[in-house]
Amino acid sequence: MEWRNDKAIYLQVVEWFKHNVILGMYAPGDKIPSVRELALKLEINPNTVVKVYDILNSEGLIEAKRTNGYFLTDDLEILERLKPFFAKEYIVQYLNNMKQIGYTKEQAINLLKESKD
Amino acid sequence: MEWRNDKAIYLQVVEWFKHNVILGMYAPGDKIPSVRELALKLEINPNTVVKVYDILNSEGLIEAKRTNGYFLTDDLEILERLKPFFAKEYIVQYLNNMKQIGYTKEQAINLLKESKD
Amino acid sequence: MEWRNDKAIYLQVVEWFKHNVILGMYAPGDKIPSVRELALKLEINPNTVVKVYDILNSEGLIEAKRTNGYFLTDDLEILERLKPFFAKEYIVQYLNNMKQIGYTKEQAINLLKESKD
Amino acid sequence: MEWRNDKAIYLQVVEWFKHNVILGMYAPGDKIPSVRELALKLEINPNTVVKVYDILNSEGLIEAKRTNGYFLTDDLEILERLKPFFAKEYIVQYLNNMKQIGYTKEQAINLLKESKD
DNA sequence: GTGGTCTAGACCACA
DNA sequence: GTGGTCTAGACCACA
């Protein structure tokens, strides 16, 4: 893993984790890597992973079972919310990019429609 | 300046430069920073700047005048092409992002339309 | 300050801080002690204070102003919620205590009414 | 066992012992742990246990039988008094807590009545 | 000086 | 081995 230096690592890991969830890396209720495992894999400090898991926990995305590890929530509603969450981010990003180079929202939509991709 | 480490620096500098041009930092025909100046300012190796200027030169965006330095082209047509160039990149990026989390192009367009921003 | 060892220090500090707010130690919008100040005063690690302020921040009770310090929220609604929050805790604690020694809720209420205090 | 450091340990042990009696850990007239046994179990100084047993003895709750150890009293009246004793403590504690955050006794009673627990 | 981030590492309860 | 807590201390941006 490589980290951008324009954003706190723990924030990047939070996003990375959510992305993995969207991509179906873990099933609802699955055990996820332990704090130490993930720290080793990502080559970051365990405390940073703790911070990440704290955030994910407070968002209801994962749950801690003492001495058993962390588990992905089986609350499907919370999991369903992930996609629109990212979508919103991507939309804002796209519109900002386009506005920065001088396009309006309408133009951003039209250029998108005309694209072949 | 901060550089992402997931992409070659010279590519990032090329983009950064084009962005500046779009934002009107230089007028058509203007002198742009020397290789050494830019290297110092961006804290990168002069050779990297040389590579950047080579690319920009080959795209017709800048021109070298022997012993006089580099100048932004005064060919307006080339300058006009910059905006669509970035737009295309942003569009591809947006669609890729949305597809990666499971949205089709149509959904990407519709969600964009519905956004309030 | 002395800390009970049956509860994490940061939780005790969170409660202690809320208590102080209820007692009117800070006015809405007031600057509160910096992370380092509080750490020194309470003789705990600055990181522990960071954790406390993180929690209070996420609850909307305080706000961080970069390079300026933390401030008590001026959102009166949030501040008003503190009293009932503690009241609920005290009620639960009282009922639990009484039940543990064999009294029902009704008895707990009646004994309370009969008390001279 | 964990001891709060805001109160003398021997006082905490006295309370802890009375609590155990209320919970029926010993029957009236039962032999209770020797000074040494209890000191080991609670990981406290035997002298502290001596002090505790002195107090319990002076309150008539336990009785020393020379060379035979200590026994819980079989005086049911004394045992019956334990519950109201704790109840009074809990009531005072509850009222103090509520007063400290600005509620009157009447409010403390009403909030208690309204609680769902 | 202020908050923010991150690392290193210790010790704990629980099983 | 697992999560939870806490300390010590470094370095950063911002002003």
Side-chain angles (χ1 to χ4, degrees):
Chain A
M1 293 296 302
E2 309 227 314
W3 307 109
R4 271 170 291 139
N5 42 25
D6 61 344
K7 207 174 174 179
I9 292 181
Y10 77 91
L11 290 175
Q12 296 181 56
V13 178
V14 165
E15 293 234 340
W16 169 83
F17 184 89
K18 289 179 178 175
H19 232 108
N20 282 340
V21 172
I22 289 181
L23 299 179
M25 178 163 285
Y26 313 111
D30 264 13
K31 191 177 187 317
I32 63 173
S34 78
V35 169
R36 286 164 180 82
E37 270 174 8
L38 193 58
L40 271 174
K41 185 183 169 191
L42 301 185
E43 294 178 2
I44 57 179
N45 190 283
N47 285 335
T48 304
V49 177
V50 166
K51 194 165 184 176
V52 170
Y53 279 8
D54 263 359
I55 292 174
L56 294 171
N57 193 1
S58 75
E59 294 181 355
L61 206 63
I62 65 176
E63 280 162 26
K65 295 191 185 170
R66 275 195 178 247
T67 77
N68 265 316
Y70 279 94
F71 295 77
L72 192 64
T73 184
D74 52 9
D75 182 336
L76 295 182
E77 196 207 333
I78 290 177
L79 294 173
E80 296 286 317
R81 251 183 267 149
L82 280 180
K83 273 178 59 180
F85 167 80
F86 274 98
K88 227 172 267 178
E89 288 215 343
Y90 293 149
I91 288 169
V92 168
Q93 186 188 9
Y94 175 59
L95 288 176
N96 280 341
N97 283 339
M98 293 300 272
K99 276 177 185 169
Q100 223 172 31
I101 58 173
Y103 291 111
T104 65
K105 185 182 170 183
E106 284 66 40
Q107 291 173 316
I109 292 173
N110 287 331
L111 285 167
L112 186 58
K113 280 187 194 164
E114 295 162 8
S115 75
K116 303 170 204 164
D117 195 9
Chain B
M1 290 298 298
E2 309 228 313
W3 307 109
R4 272 170 289 139
N5 41 26
D6 61 346
K7 206 174 175 179
I9 290 184
Y10 78 92
L11 289 174
Q12 296 181 55
V13 178
V14 166
E15 293 231 342
W16 171 83
F17 185 89
K18 290 179 177 175
H19 229 110
N20 283 339
V21 173
I22 290 181
L23 299 180
M25 178 163 286
Y26 313 111
D30 262 14
K31 190 176 189 318
I32 62 173
S34 74
V35 169
R36 280 181 209 131
E37 274 173 3
L38 194 57
L40 269 174
K41 183 184 171 191
L42 301 184
E43 293 177 5
I44 57 180
N45 194 294
N47 289 332
T48 303
V49 178
V50 168
K51 194 165 184 176
V52 169
Y53 280 7
D54 266 358
I55 291 175
L56 294 172
N57 198 353
S58 73
E59 294 182 356
L61 205 64
I62 64 175
E63 283 162 21
K65 296 192 183 171
R66 286 184 177 261
T67 73
N68 257 321
Y70 284 91
F71 294 75
L72 191 64
T73 183
D74 52 7
D75 181 336
L76 294 182
E77 197 205 333
I78 290 178
L79 292 174
E80 294 288 315
R81 249 183 271 147
L82 279 180
K83 272 178 62 181
F85 167 80
F86 274 99
K88 229 173 265 178
E89 287 217 342
Y90 293 149
I91 288 169
V92 168
Q93 185 189 9
Y94 175 59
L95 287 176
N96 279 343
N97 283 339
M98 294 299 273
K99 276 177 184 167
Q100 220 173 32
I101 59 172
Y103 289 111
T104 65
K105 186 182 167 181
E106 284 66 41
Q107 291 174 316
I109 293 173
N110 287 331
L111 285 168
L112 186 58
K113 281 186 195 164
E114 295 163 8
S115 76
K116 302 170 205 163
D117 195 9
Chain C
M1 292 296 301
E2 309 228 314
W3 307 109
R4 271 170 290 137
N5 43 23
D6 61 345
K7 207 172 176 180
I9 292 180
Y10 77 90
L11 290 175
Q12 296 180 55
V13 178
V14 165
E15 293 233 340
W16 170 82
F17 184 87
K18 290 180 178 174
H19 232 108
N20 282 341
V21 173
I22 289 181
L23 300 181
M25 178 163 287
Y26 312 111
D30 262 14
K31 190 176 187 319
I32 63 174
S34 78
V35 168
R36 287 161 180 85
E37 270 174 8
L38 193 58
L40 271 174
K41 183 183 170 190
L42 301 185
E43 294 178 3
I44 57 181
N45 191 285
N47 285 334
T48 303
V49 177
V50 166
K51 195 165 184 174
V52 169
Y53 279 8
D54 264 359
I55 292 174
L56 294 171
N57 194 2
S58 74
E59 295 182 355
L61 206 63
I62 64 177
E63 280 161 26
K65 296 190 185 172
R66 276 197 178 246
T67 76
N68 264 316
Y70 280 94
F71 295 76
L72 191 64
T73 184
D74 53 8
D75 182 336
L76 295 182
E77 197 206 333
I78 290 178
L79 294 174
E80 295 287 315
R81 252 183 267 147
L82 280 181
K83 272 178 61 179
F85 167 80
F86 274 99
K88 228 172 264 178
E89 288 216 341
Y90 292 149
I91 288 169
V92 168
Q93 185 189 9
Y94 175 60
L95 287 176
N96 279 343
N97 283 340
M98 294 301 272
K99 276 176 184 168
Q100 221 172 32
I101 58 173
Y103 290 110
T104 66
K105 184 181 168 182
E106 283 67 39
Q107 291 173 315
I109 293 173
N110 288 331
L111 285 168
L112 186 59
K113 280 187 194 165
E114 295 162 8
S115 75
K116 303 169 204 165
D117 195 9
Chain D
M1 292 297 299
E2 307 227 315
W3 307 108
R4 271 169 292 140
N5 42 25
D6 61 345
K7 205 173 175 179
I9 290 184
Y10 78 91
L11 289 175
Q12 296 180 57
V13 178
V14 166
E15 292 232 342
W16 170 83
F17 185 88
K18 290 179 177 174
H19 228 110
N20 282 340
V21 173
I22 290 180
L23 299 179
M25 178 164 285
Y26 313 111
D30 262 14
K31 190 177 188 316
I32 62 173
S34 76
V35 167
R36 280 179 209 132
E37 274 172 2
L38 193 58
L40 270 174
K41 184 183 171 192
L42 301 185
E43 293 176 5
I44 57 180
N45 194 294
N47 289 333
T48 304
V49 178
V50 168
K51 194 164 182 178
V52 169
Y53 280 7
D54 265 0
I55 291 175
L56 294 171
N57 197 353
S58 74
E59 295 181 357
L61 205 64
I62 66 176
E63 284 161 23
K65 295 192 183 170
R66 284 182 176 261
T67 74
N68 257 321
Y70 283 91
F71 293 75
L72 190 64
T73 183
D74 53 8
D75 182 337
L76 295 182
E77 197 204 334
I78 291 178
L79 293 174
E80 295 288 316
R81 247 183 273 149
L82 279 181
K83 272 177 59 180
F85 166 80
F86 274 98
K88 228 171 267 178
E89 288 217 343
Y90 293 148
I91 288 169
V92 169
Q93 184 189 11
Y94 175 60
L95 287 176
N96 279 342
N97 283 339
M98 294 299 272
K99 275 177 185 169
Q100 221 172 31
I101 58 172
Y103 290 111
T104 65
K105 186 182 168 182
E106 283 66 40
Q107 291 174 315
I109 292 173
N110 287 331
L111 285 169
L112 187 58
K113 281 186 193 164
E114 294 164 9
S115 76
K116 301 171 203 161
D117 195 10

